[in-house]
Amino acid sequence: MMNTKRSLLIMLLLAMMISVVAQVNGNLQTIGGKRILHVWGTHSERGYAKGYLLPTSITQVFHNYVYQTFAMANPTHYNTLRGFYLTNFNVEDKYYQEAAAIISGIVDAGGNIYHIGLQRDLDAHDLLLANAIVDLSVYRYDVTGDDSLELGCASLSSWGIATEADSTLAGRLVITRMLDWNQNLSLINNPLVVVSHPSEPGEVKWISFAYPGLIGALSAISETGTAAFLNMGNFNTYNDLNDLHLVLFSIRNAVESPDYNLDGFSTPIDVFDAIAGRNHLAGTIIHAISDNPDYTGGIIIENNNLSPAVYRTQYQNSNLPADHLAATNHFRMLSFPACCDRYINIADSLFTNPFMSAKRQLSVMTGATGMAHNLMQIQYIPLNGEIRWLTATVHQPAYSTSALVLNANELFDFPVPTSDHHLQPFTANLSVFPNPLVSGRDLQLKSDFPISGVSLFNLRGQRIMHSTSRQPVDTFTLSAADLKQYPRGVYILRIRNREGNAVARKLMLMD
């Protein structure tokens, strides 16, 4: 009788455990000693799964890297950085909800969110600040006077003539990315691939090479065939603190969207438009690539606080052989190119032999840019979805370790229940009057959702004007004086709200 009761109790406990696990929209696997996390559902559901399945890792990375390394284990420094972030950055509600759900998941999993250094519980804004490290790095120097933060990186993409002699690539694209951050033990011990399977109709699956708690897109591959990898820039002066946006969230907005700029294609220009349409604090260089039927190749986006974002293609790249693009940490268009040993090393290797295979590209990047604090080396071949992911150990930089070979197509095909939600895609009524617009007249925009920003793009996808409203408004006016500098022709107006939703309309300017 006693054994029967005990068996029933065990069965009841197991049923309760299964019930709890079934509510967590995530699956955590360990492959080759590395963790792969699949999450699905809404932003909140995906956030909760991250917190529930990685409670200790998230708090460890926050304490050991964000607090101790970034804020120098100084609560005054940390609170100054947090105050600056809260005052000047505008984060979409979907990301706040995701971060808040991570905190809830940690608590429900039995994790400890109390931070002894800050003497309080961690909250959603602490996680969002962790995702703003790239942006706040320049302000951190102003606060602390410390320049020991290492946020390096380098990347090389090759395609076309450069890869046509390789029997596997046959002219298709390959990219290798080096992530060079501080040799922090929590980062070394917690490399993570996160595969997001959104339930929202306006979002697509994407892969993030990250660390626990990082929800922005630092190194990302989209299901659409577009990928983006962020490097720091070398020119970080700032003077515009209006409506700042986290650059990792700008990139995520692009890679998580089926067509960010609504031009009918998913290409690296979507990444450019997502960055160019927002105001950022620090200088960054983003290597965006695509290898789909609509677009083959890549662009290097250069972005900082003082100047409109620009991008370069191989046609602004005479210092490299055809069909190669390289990025390190120095601007080459946004400011006069500074001497960069790693960029010169890449160029020397390519001019010695411009023909590339996937294996040789790994070798070139290792030899030309390999650094002791290389935390990740990532290679991606869109043609077959192959990913080679190398991560650092305490004694070895990533590029000298063994690769875990993954496949993007298989990661995206991971079976998850994404059909439980039927959210409606974002729509809005927008009036653009008059259209066509005759020179000398104001343009009035009226919408049934509050407008926080308006951008004007030419048909090449280049943002040529951007205007924001400190308080969202239903009616937005672009003056004739603002528009008179642009020649007659067809343009794209992009209007967004504070949640990051956007609508686009064509605009014709006439004499």
Side-chain angles (χ1 to χ4, degrees), residues 88-103:
N88 296 290
F89 283 85
N90 175 27
V91 173
E92 296 93 325
D93 183 66
K94 61 184 179 181
Y95 296 131
Y96 176 83
Q97 295 299 330
E98 187 170 334
I102 290 175
I103 296 293

Side-chain angles (χ1 to χ4, degrees), residues 206-246:
W206 66 289
I207 300 167
S208 174
F209 301 85
Y211 298 97
L214 183 69
I215 64 175
L218 175 64
S219 304
I221 297 171
S222 172
E223 185 184 27
T224 65
T226 297
F229 306 90
L230 179 135
N231 303 350
M232 285 300 298
N234 64 318
F235 187 62
N236 291 291
T237 304
Y238 60 91
N239 62 11
D240 181 5
L241 301 182
N242 180 49
D243 196 29
L244 291 172
H245 195 245
L246 276 63

Side-chain angles (χ1 to χ4, degrees), residues 334-367:
L334 207 57
S335 62
F336 188 80
C339 181
C340 173
D341 289 341
R342 290 183 300 154
Y343 194 93
I344 292 172
N345 291 340
I346 294 172
D348 287 346
S349 296
L350 296 182
F351 278 114
T352 299
N353 178 4
F355 301 111
M356 192 65 63
S357 66
K359 183 177 180 180
R360 180 167 182 265
Q361 193 181 77
L362 288 170
S363 177
V364 166
M365 290 303 288
T366 295

Side-chain angles (χ1 to χ4, degrees), residues 70 85 89 127-137 246 248:
F70 187 70
Y85 156 77
F89 283 85
L127 293 184
L128 293 173
L129 182 145
N131 283 266
I133 281 177
V134 170
D135 310 271
L136 291 173
S137 59
L246 276 63
L248 297 187

Side-chain angles (χ1 to χ4, degrees), residues 55-220:
T56 303
S57 297
I58 292 172
T59 54
Q60 284 180 348
V61 169
F62 180 87
H63 176 73
N64 293 331
Y65 182 66
V66 180
Y67 181 71
Q68 290 194 330
T69 297
F70 187 70
M72 303 174 68
N74 185 316
T76 301
H77 289 343
Y78 182 87
N79 289 326
T80 300
L81 291 165
R82 177 179 159 113
F84 182 86
Y85 156 77
L86 289 172
T87 301
N88 296 290
F89 283 85
N90 175 27
V91 173
E92 296 93 325
D93 183 66
K94 61 184 179 181
Y95 296 131
Y96 176 83
Q97 295 299 330
E98 187 170 334
I102 290 175
I103 296 293
S104 297
I106 293 173
V107 172
D108 289 352
N112 182 14
I113 61 171
Y114 183 79
H115 192 275
I116 191 169
L118 300 174
Q119 298 186 18
R120 61 171 175 81
D121 287 346
L122 298 178
D123 61 21
H125 289 301
D126 293 309
L127 293 184
L128 293 173
L129 182 145
N131 283 266
I133 281 177
V134 170
D135 310 271
L136 291 173
S137 59
V138 54
Y139 182 69
R140 173 189 181 273
Y141 177 77
D142 294 340
V143 171
T144 67
D146 179 80
D147 62 355
S148 63
L149 199 65
E150 296 175 321
L151 300 174
C153 305
S155 53
L156 171 65
S157 61
S158 310
W159 69 94
I161 294 172
T163 65
E164 65 181 5
D166 180 73
S167 59
T168 300
L169 295 173
R172 303 296 287 273
L173 184 141
V174 58
I175 184 168
T176 298
R177 185 275 210 284
M178 313 287 279
L179 177 70
D180 305 316
W181 280 22
N182 296 76
Q183 284 186 296
N184 180 277
L185 191 60
S186 284
L187 298 185
I188 290 173
N189 290 338
N190 287 284
L192 181 69
V193 163
V194 181
V195 188
S196 293
H197 305 261
S199 61
E200 294 89 345
E203 296 183 355
V204 298
K205 302 174 186 179
W206 66 289
I207 300 167
S208 174
F209 301 85
Y211 298 97
L214 183 69
I215 64 175
L218 175 64
S219 304

Side-chain angles (χ1 to χ4, degrees), residues 15-89:
M16 292 173 64
M17 291 172 64
I18 291 170
S19 176
V20 170
V21 173
Q23 297 174 31
V24 179
N25 288 19
N27 178 280
L28 182 62
Q29 302 173 319
T30 300
I31 303 175
K34 297 182 176 70
R35 290 184 291 184
I36 314 295
L37 175 63
H38 290 266
V39 292
W40 56 89
T42 65
H43 280 267
S44 292
E45 289 169 332
R46 284 177 274 156
Y48 185 85
K50 294 172 186 176
Y52 192 91
L53 296 172
L54 296 166
T56 303
S57 297
I58 292 172
T59 54
Q60 284 180 348
V61 169
F62 180 87
H63 176 73
N64 293 331
Y65 182 66
V66 180
Y67 181 71
Q68 290 194 330
T69 297
F70 187 70
M72 303 174 68
N74 185 316
T76 301
H77 289 343
Y78 182 87
N79 289 326
T80 300
L81 291 165
R82 177 179 159 113
F84 182 86
Y85 156 77
L86 289 172
T87 301
N88 296 290
F89 283 85

Side-chain angles (χ1 to χ4, degrees), residues 14 75 92 108 146 154 168 199 232 256 306 416 422 434 486 492:
L14 286 173
E92 296 93 325
D108 289 352
D146 179 80
T168 300
S199 61
M232 285 300 298
E256 199 170 34
L306 296 183
V416 298
H422 301 280
Y486 306 114
I492 302 295

Side-chain angles (χ1 to χ4, degrees), residues 371-430:
M371 304 181 75
H373 59 286
N374 175 230
L375 293 188
M376 290 189 189
Q377 185 183 62
I378 304 161
Q379 184 177 80
Y380 174 50
I381 303 174
L383 170 65
N384 56 18
E386 182 176 298
I387 297 168
R388 296 179 64 85
W389 182 38
L390 296 83
T391 61
T393 68
V394 175
H395 303 292
Q396 292 178 282
Y399 61 78
S400 65
T401 64
S402 298
L404 175 63
V405 180
L406 302 168
N407 188 281
N409 301 322
E410 294 175 1
L411 293 174
F412 290 134
D413 287 343
F414 185 86
V416 298
T418 58
S419 59
D420 295 337
H421 303 277
H422 301 280
L423 304 180
Q424 294 299 315
F426 178 76
T427 58
N429 292 318
L430 175 66

